[in-house]
Amino acid sequence: MRDPILHLHGTEQRPLVVIDDFWPDPDVLRDDAASLKMGQIGPHYPGIRAPAPARLAETMRRRVAPLLAQHFGLDPAPAVSEAYYSLVTTRPADLAPIQRLPHFDGVEPGRIAVLLFLGEGQQGGTAFYRQRATGYESVDSARLGSFKAALEEGVGTHGIPAPAYIAGDTPLYEQIALHAGRRNRALIYSGNMLHCAYLPAEVTLSADPLIGRLTLNLFLFDD
């Protein structure tokens, strides 16, 4: 595992940690994903998923725990809430309206996402955004109402975005950061930051974990 690199994003200066060569043998994880039956889990993710083994998720949580204490002020590290192998498979033309916009995982400040890229070749990345109308780069419980109101007003003015994965600035959102996906690269960030997968046309949207944009998504949160 290489030394972690800290980035501070936007006007809110929210931390994001990038770690290359994160896992000792990423091919083992990819083969594990290939052995599982993957399917749609929930209405928001534009693809298919399978739960990752609980022991693996806990080992990853322990690996990132010192970074969560150092950069996010979370000590002890939050517990594993969910962990999935994930494959983006939805064609841009088939995206639901909610999948064309940046999102947040939850409003709780102690919610953490760990995203590990496991695929080969072009992986796109993950982009982070600011809502133009409010200036919000993250959404907590105090901001939720005004965030939703601004989104509704913006959609009423500009319409639902055309079927496509968001890329760069839009009438409703300004992109404030983009982190490229790379095999065995992990991103660690607060789940209430506005973010979305960056998926240019070069990314292969395949349901085969040995070919497609495979990630391991670890969500940490103390209920």
Side-chain angles (χ1 to χ4, degrees):
M1 185 171 76
R2 297 190 190 179
D3 290 340
I5 299 174
L6 173 67
H7 299 265
L8 298 174
H9 286 328
T11 58
E12 296 180 11
Q13 293 288 277
R14 302 296 300 274
L16 182 145
V17 177
V18 178
I19 311 173
D20 285 323
D21 297 333
F22 177 78
W23 198 249
D25 193 346
D27 287 341
V28 170
L29 302 183
R30 193 173 60 171
D31 291 344
D32 184 35
S35 72
L36 302 174
K37 181 177 178 57
M38 305 183 79
Q40 187 173 16
I41 298 178
H44 302 310
Y45 185 75
I48 54 177
R49 287 177 152 170
R55 180 175 293 181
L56 170 63
E58 176 60 21
T59 300
M60 288 190 174
R61 185 192 76 90
R62 294 181 182 181
R63 176 167 288 220
V64 302
L67 297 172
L68 300 185
Q70 180 180 0
H71 299 302
F72 297 85
L74 297 173
D75 188 11
V80 175
S81 174
E82 299 174 278
Y84 301 110
Y85 290 116
S86 305
L87 276 167
V88 177
T89 57
T90 304
R91 298 181 308 164
D94 297 330
L95 290 171
I98 196 170
Q99 295 170 331
R100 308 170 199 170
L101 298 165
H103 66 277
F104 53 93
D105 302 329
V107 298
E108 302 85 1
R111 187 182 291 272
I112 295 292
V114 181
L115 173 62
L116 176 60
F117 293 93
L118 293 171
E120 301 279 2
Q122 174 60 258
Q123 298 296 295
T126 301
F128 294 82
Y129 292 88
R130 175 186 301 120
Q131 189 182 48
R132 291 185 184 274
T134 61
Y136 295 164
E137 298 166 356
S138 61
V139 180
D140 59 17
S141 58
R143 291 179 168 184
L144 183 59
S146 52
F147 170 82
K148 288 182 175 180
L151 178 57
E152 291 176 4
E153 182 176 352
V155 169
T157 300
H158 299 284
I160 296 290
Y165 288 102
I166 186 172
D169 296 342
T170 74
L172 302 184
Y173 293 96
E174 178 184 359
Q175 182 178 293
I176 61 172
L178 171 62
H179 293 276
R182 185 176 300 164
R183 181 178 179 271
N184 208 18
R185 168 176 286 178
L187 307 180
I188 306 171
Y189 53 92
S190 296
N192 69 349
M193 294 172 66
L194 287 166
H195 63 280
C196 197
Y198 171 63
L199 292 162
E202 296 80 13
V203 176
T204 300
L205 304 182
S206 171
D208 183 346
L210 301 180
I211 298 174
R213 185 187 186 269
L214 178 67
T215 60
L216 194 153
N217 302 74
L218 181 65
F219 301 99
L220 307 179
F221 175 62
D222 287 325
D223 295 323

